[in-house]
Short mmCIF file of all heavy atoms in Angstrom, two decimals:
data_model
loop_
_atom_site.label_atom_id
_atom_site.label_comp_id
_atom_site.label_asym_id
_atom_site.label_seq_id
_atom_site.Cartn_x
_atom_site.Cartn_y
_atom_site.Cartn_z
N VAL A 129 8.91 -33.02 28.41
CA VAL A 129 8.77 -32.66 29.83
C VAL A 129 7.23 -33.12 30.26
O VAL A 129 6.34 -32.64 29.59
CB VAL A 129 9.07 -31.31 30.08
CG1 VAL A 129 8.68 -30.82 31.60
CG2 VAL A 129 10.42 -30.88 29.87
N THR A 130 7.07 -33.83 31.36
CA THR A 130 5.87 -34.23 31.77
C THR A 130 5.99 -34.20 33.37
O THR A 130 7.00 -34.55 33.90
CB THR A 130 5.34 -35.48 31.33
OG1 THR A 130 6.29 -36.56 31.63
CG2 THR A 130 4.91 -35.57 29.89
N PRO A 131 4.98 -33.62 34.15
CA PRO A 131 3.73 -33.00 33.56
C PRO A 131 4.06 -31.68 33.09
O PRO A 131 5.13 -31.10 33.41
CB PRO A 131 2.91 -32.90 34.91
CG PRO A 131 3.82 -32.85 35.92
CD PRO A 131 5.00 -33.65 35.60
N ARG A 132 3.09 -31.13 32.34
CA ARG A 132 3.45 -29.82 31.68
C ARG A 132 3.28 -28.69 32.60
O ARG A 132 2.28 -28.60 33.48
CB ARG A 132 2.46 -29.60 30.51
CG ARG A 132 2.29 -30.78 29.53
CD ARG A 132 3.49 -30.96 28.82
NE ARG A 132 3.77 -29.82 27.81
CZ ARG A 132 4.96 -29.66 27.24
NH1 ARG A 132 5.82 -30.62 27.35
NH2 ARG A 132 5.14 -28.70 26.44
N PRO A 133 4.22 -27.72 32.65
CA PRO A 133 4.07 -26.54 33.52
C PRO A 133 2.99 -25.71 33.07
O PRO A 133 2.49 -25.70 31.93
CB PRO A 133 5.44 -25.85 33.35
CG PRO A 133 6.00 -26.28 32.05
CD PRO A 133 5.40 -27.68 31.78
N ARG A 134 2.33 -24.99 34.09
CA ARG A 134 1.32 -24.08 33.76
C ARG A 134 1.81 -22.83 33.08
O ARG A 134 2.94 -22.44 33.26
CB ARG A 134 0.64 -23.73 35.03
CG ARG A 134 -0.22 -24.78 35.68
CD ARG A 134 -1.11 -24.46 36.83
NE ARG A 134 -1.97 -25.31 37.44
CZ ARG A 134 -2.86 -25.23 38.26
NH1 ARG A 134 -2.97 -24.13 38.86
NH2 ARG A 134 -3.62 -26.27 38.83
N LEU A 135 0.87 -22.26 32.42
CA LEU A 135 1.14 -20.79 31.75
C LEU A 135 1.37 -19.88 32.91
O LEU A 135 0.64 -19.79 33.80
CB LEU A 135 0.11 -20.45 30.85
CG LEU A 135 -0.23 -21.15 29.59
CD1 LEU A 135 -1.55 -20.77 28.95
CD2 LEU A 135 0.92 -21.01 28.56
N GLN A 136 2.48 -19.13 32.69
CA GLN A 136 2.79 -17.97 33.63
C GLN A 136 2.86 -16.66 32.91
O GLN A 136 2.67 -16.52 31.66
CB GLN A 136 4.02 -18.34 34.39
CG GLN A 136 5.17 -18.80 33.51
CD GLN A 136 6.45 -19.24 34.14
OE1 GLN A 136 7.22 -18.38 34.66
NE2 GLN A 136 6.52 -20.59 34.23
N GLY A 137 3.26 -15.62 33.66
CA GLY A 137 3.19 -14.31 33.03
C GLY A 137 4.02 -14.19 31.79
O GLY A 137 3.71 -13.56 30.82
N ARG A 138 5.17 -14.78 31.85
CA ARG A 138 6.11 -14.58 30.66
C ARG A 138 5.56 -15.42 29.46
O ARG A 138 5.58 -14.97 28.28
CB ARG A 138 7.56 -15.10 31.00
CG ARG A 138 8.56 -14.82 29.98
CD ARG A 138 10.03 -14.93 30.51
NE ARG A 138 10.94 -14.73 29.51
CZ ARG A 138 12.37 -14.83 29.67
NH1 ARG A 138 12.73 -15.36 30.90
NH2 ARG A 138 13.14 -14.48 28.67
N SER A 139 4.90 -16.53 29.81
CA SER A 139 4.24 -17.24 28.69
C SER A 139 3.12 -16.45 28.12
O SER A 139 3.00 -16.44 26.86
CB SER A 139 3.70 -18.59 29.35
OG SER A 139 4.66 -19.34 29.98
N PHE A 140 2.26 -15.90 28.91
CA PHE A 140 1.14 -15.01 28.45
C PHE A 140 1.66 -13.85 27.54
O PHE A 140 1.07 -13.48 26.44
CB PHE A 140 0.23 -14.59 29.48
CG PHE A 140 -0.61 -15.67 30.09
CD1 PHE A 140 -0.43 -16.02 31.36
CD2 PHE A 140 -1.70 -16.17 29.25
CE1 PHE A 140 -1.37 -16.97 31.88
CE2 PHE A 140 -2.56 -17.21 29.85
CZ PHE A 140 -2.33 -17.57 30.99
N ALA A 141 2.80 -13.31 28.10
CA ALA A 141 3.27 -12.04 27.25
C ALA A 141 3.81 -12.59 25.89
O ALA A 141 3.66 -11.87 24.95
CB ALA A 141 4.50 -11.41 28.04
N LEU A 142 4.51 -13.70 25.87
CA LEU A 142 4.98 -14.19 24.62
C LEU A 142 3.81 -14.56 23.62
O LEU A 142 3.86 -14.23 22.45
CB LEU A 142 5.85 -15.41 24.89
CG LEU A 142 6.66 -15.98 23.66
CD1 LEU A 142 7.97 -16.46 24.03
CD2 LEU A 142 5.92 -17.23 23.07
N LEU A 143 2.82 -15.21 24.08
CA LEU A 143 1.65 -15.69 23.35
C LEU A 143 0.90 -14.39 22.84
O LEU A 143 0.61 -14.26 21.74
CB LEU A 143 0.74 -16.50 24.16
CG LEU A 143 1.24 -17.95 24.42
CD1 LEU A 143 0.34 -18.70 25.24
CD2 LEU A 143 1.48 -18.74 23.17
N GLY A 144 0.72 -13.43 23.73
CA GLY A 144 0.06 -12.09 23.36
C GLY A 144 0.82 -11.48 22.25
O GLY A 144 0.23 -10.92 21.29
N GLY A 145 2.18 -11.35 22.42
CA GLY A 145 3.00 -10.69 21.35
C GLY A 145 2.89 -11.44 20.05
O GLY A 145 2.79 -10.84 19.07
N ALA A 146 2.87 -12.80 20.08
CA ALA A 146 2.74 -13.52 18.80
C ALA A 146 1.44 -13.30 18.22
O ALA A 146 1.41 -13.09 16.94
CB ALA A 146 2.96 -15.10 19.18
N VAL A 147 0.35 -13.25 18.88
CA VAL A 147 -0.94 -13.06 18.33
C VAL A 147 -1.01 -11.59 17.78
O VAL A 147 -1.44 -11.47 16.62
CB VAL A 147 -1.98 -13.16 19.40
CG1 VAL A 147 -3.36 -12.69 18.89
CG2 VAL A 147 -2.12 -14.72 19.81
N VAL A 148 -0.51 -10.55 18.46
CA VAL A 148 -0.61 -9.22 17.92
C VAL A 148 0.30 -9.14 16.61
O VAL A 148 -0.14 -8.48 15.57
CB VAL A 148 -0.13 -8.33 19.00
CG1 VAL A 148 0.11 -6.94 18.45
CG2 VAL A 148 -1.10 -8.23 20.06
N LEU A 149 1.60 -9.60 16.60
CA LEU A 149 2.43 -9.50 15.57
C LEU A 149 1.89 -10.23 14.33
O LEU A 149 2.01 -9.81 13.19
CB LEU A 149 3.83 -9.93 15.96
CG LEU A 149 4.50 -9.00 17.02
CD1 LEU A 149 5.84 -9.72 17.49
CD2 LEU A 149 4.74 -7.58 16.42
N SER A 150 1.44 -11.39 14.61
CA SER A 150 0.92 -12.20 13.48
C SER A 150 -0.28 -11.56 12.87
O SER A 150 -0.46 -11.50 11.70
CB SER A 150 0.55 -13.66 13.95
OG SER A 150 1.59 -14.28 14.38
N ALA A 151 -1.17 -11.03 13.73
CA ALA A 151 -2.34 -10.24 13.22
C ALA A 151 -1.85 -9.01 12.43
O ALA A 151 -2.54 -8.69 11.40
CB ALA A 151 -3.25 -9.83 14.31
N GLY A 152 -0.82 -8.31 12.94
CA GLY A 152 -0.27 -7.14 12.30
C GLY A 152 0.16 -7.57 10.84
O GLY A 152 0.02 -6.77 9.93
N MET A 153 0.81 -8.70 10.76
CA MET A 153 1.19 -9.09 9.32
C MET A 153 0.20 -9.57 8.44
O MET A 153 -0.01 -9.23 7.33
CB MET A 153 2.32 -10.24 9.56
CG MET A 153 3.57 -9.86 10.26
SD MET A 153 4.71 -11.17 10.71
CE MET A 153 5.17 -11.83 9.00
N LEU A 154 -0.70 -10.28 9.04
CA LEU A 154 -1.88 -10.77 8.19
C LEU A 154 -2.84 -9.62 7.72
O LEU A 154 -3.27 -9.61 6.56
CB LEU A 154 -2.79 -11.70 9.05
CG LEU A 154 -2.13 -13.05 9.43
CD1 LEU A 154 -3.09 -13.81 10.41
CD2 LEU A 154 -1.79 -13.92 8.39
N PHE A 155 -3.00 -8.66 8.50
CA PHE A 155 -4.01 -7.56 8.18
C PHE A 155 -3.32 -6.33 7.78
O PHE A 155 -3.88 -5.22 7.69
CB PHE A 155 -4.91 -7.35 9.30
CG PHE A 155 -5.72 -8.45 9.70
CD1 PHE A 155 -5.40 -9.21 10.80
CD2 PHE A 155 -6.75 -8.83 8.82
CE1 PHE A 155 -6.28 -10.33 11.17
CE2 PHE A 155 -7.54 -10.04 9.17
CZ PHE A 155 -7.32 -10.68 10.35
N ALA A 156 -1.98 -6.31 7.62
CA ALA A 156 -1.09 -5.17 7.11
C ALA A 156 -1.77 -4.54 5.77
O ALA A 156 -1.84 -3.42 5.66
CB ALA A 156 0.30 -5.36 7.06
N GLN A 157 -2.00 -5.60 4.86
CA GLN A 157 -2.51 -4.97 3.53
C GLN A 157 -3.81 -4.36 3.52
O GLN A 157 -3.93 -3.27 3.06
CB GLN A 157 -2.56 -6.20 2.48
CG GLN A 157 -2.80 -5.75 1.08
CD GLN A 157 -2.47 -6.80 0.14
OE1 GLN A 157 -2.24 -7.89 0.44
NE2 GLN A 157 -2.60 -6.46 -1.20
N PRO A 158 -4.91 -5.03 4.13
CA PRO A 158 -6.23 -4.28 4.23
C PRO A 158 -6.12 -3.03 5.04
O PRO A 158 -6.99 -2.13 4.93
CB PRO A 158 -7.11 -5.34 4.73
CG PRO A 158 -6.31 -6.27 5.49
CD PRO A 158 -4.95 -6.33 4.68
N LEU A 159 -5.20 -2.98 6.00
CA LEU A 159 -5.12 -1.69 6.79
C LEU A 159 -4.23 -0.65 6.07
O LEU A 159 -4.65 0.48 6.10
CB LEU A 159 -4.47 -2.07 8.07
CG LEU A 159 -5.41 -2.89 9.14
CD1 LEU A 159 -4.61 -3.26 10.39
CD2 LEU A 159 -6.55 -1.99 9.43
N PHE A 160 -3.01 -0.98 5.64
CA PHE A 160 -1.99 0.10 5.31
C PHE A 160 -1.73 0.12 3.94
O PHE A 160 -0.90 1.04 3.45
CB PHE A 160 -0.75 -0.21 6.15
CG PHE A 160 -1.01 -0.25 7.54
CD1 PHE A 160 -0.74 -1.50 8.28
CD2 PHE A 160 -1.42 0.76 8.28
CE1 PHE A 160 -0.88 -1.53 9.71
CE2 PHE A 160 -1.63 0.72 9.75
CZ PHE A 160 -1.37 -0.48 10.27
N ASP A 161 -2.31 -0.66 3.07
CA ASP A 161 -2.12 -0.63 1.62
C ASP A 161 -2.77 0.60 1.08
O ASP A 161 -3.64 1.22 1.70
CB ASP A 161 -2.55 -1.86 0.88
CG ASP A 161 -1.82 -1.92 -0.34
OD1 ASP A 161 -1.00 -1.10 -0.80
OD2 ASP A 161 -2.12 -2.93 -1.20
N TRP A 162 -2.46 1.07 -0.27
CA TRP A 162 -3.15 2.11 -0.90
C TRP A 162 -4.69 1.81 -0.94
O TRP A 162 -4.94 0.69 -1.45
CB TRP A 162 -2.60 2.27 -2.28
CG TRP A 162 -1.35 3.05 -2.30
CD1 TRP A 162 -0.75 3.95 -1.40
CD2 TRP A 162 -0.26 2.55 -3.09
NE1 TRP A 162 0.56 4.15 -1.73
CE2 TRP A 162 0.91 3.34 -2.81
CE3 TRP A 162 0.00 1.58 -4.11
CZ2 TRP A 162 2.19 3.27 -3.47
CZ3 TRP A 162 1.27 1.54 -4.82
CH2 TRP A 162 2.22 2.40 -4.37
N GLY A 163 -5.57 2.66 -0.52
CA GLY A 163 -6.96 2.25 -0.45
C GLY A 163 -7.30 1.52 0.86
O GLY A 163 -8.54 1.12 0.94
N GLY A 164 -6.49 1.24 1.76
CA GLY A 164 -6.74 0.51 2.94
C GLY A 164 -7.55 1.26 3.96
O GLY A 164 -7.90 2.43 3.71
N ALA A 165 -7.65 0.70 5.01
CA ALA A 165 -8.56 1.34 6.09
C ALA A 165 -8.09 2.59 6.59
O ALA A 165 -8.79 3.48 6.95
CB ALA A 165 -8.71 0.34 7.26
N VAL A 166 -6.67 2.89 6.69
CA VAL A 166 -6.22 4.14 7.16
C VAL A 166 -6.01 5.16 6.02
O VAL A 166 -5.39 6.29 6.28
CB VAL A 166 -4.91 3.93 7.93
CG1 VAL A 166 -5.09 2.97 9.05
CG2 VAL A 166 -3.83 3.42 7.00
N ASP A 167 -6.30 4.79 4.75
CA ASP A 167 -6.04 5.76 3.69
C ASP A 167 -7.24 6.66 3.56
O ASP A 167 -8.37 6.57 4.17
CB ASP A 167 -5.96 4.93 2.36
CG ASP A 167 -5.34 5.68 1.21
OD1 ASP A 167 -4.96 6.83 1.51
OD2 ASP A 167 -5.35 5.29 0.14
#
Side-chain angles (χ1 to χ4, degrees):
V129 175
T130 55
R132 309 296 293 172
R134 289 187 175 185
L135 290 169
Q136 49 188 279
R138 192 168 180 179
S139 306
F140 283 116
L142 187 142
L143 291 173
V147 171
V148 170
L149 294 173
S150 297
M153 295 172 65
L154 293 177
F155 298 106
Q157 186 166 8
L159 286 175
F160 305 119
D161 200 4
W162 292 318
V166 302
D167 198 5

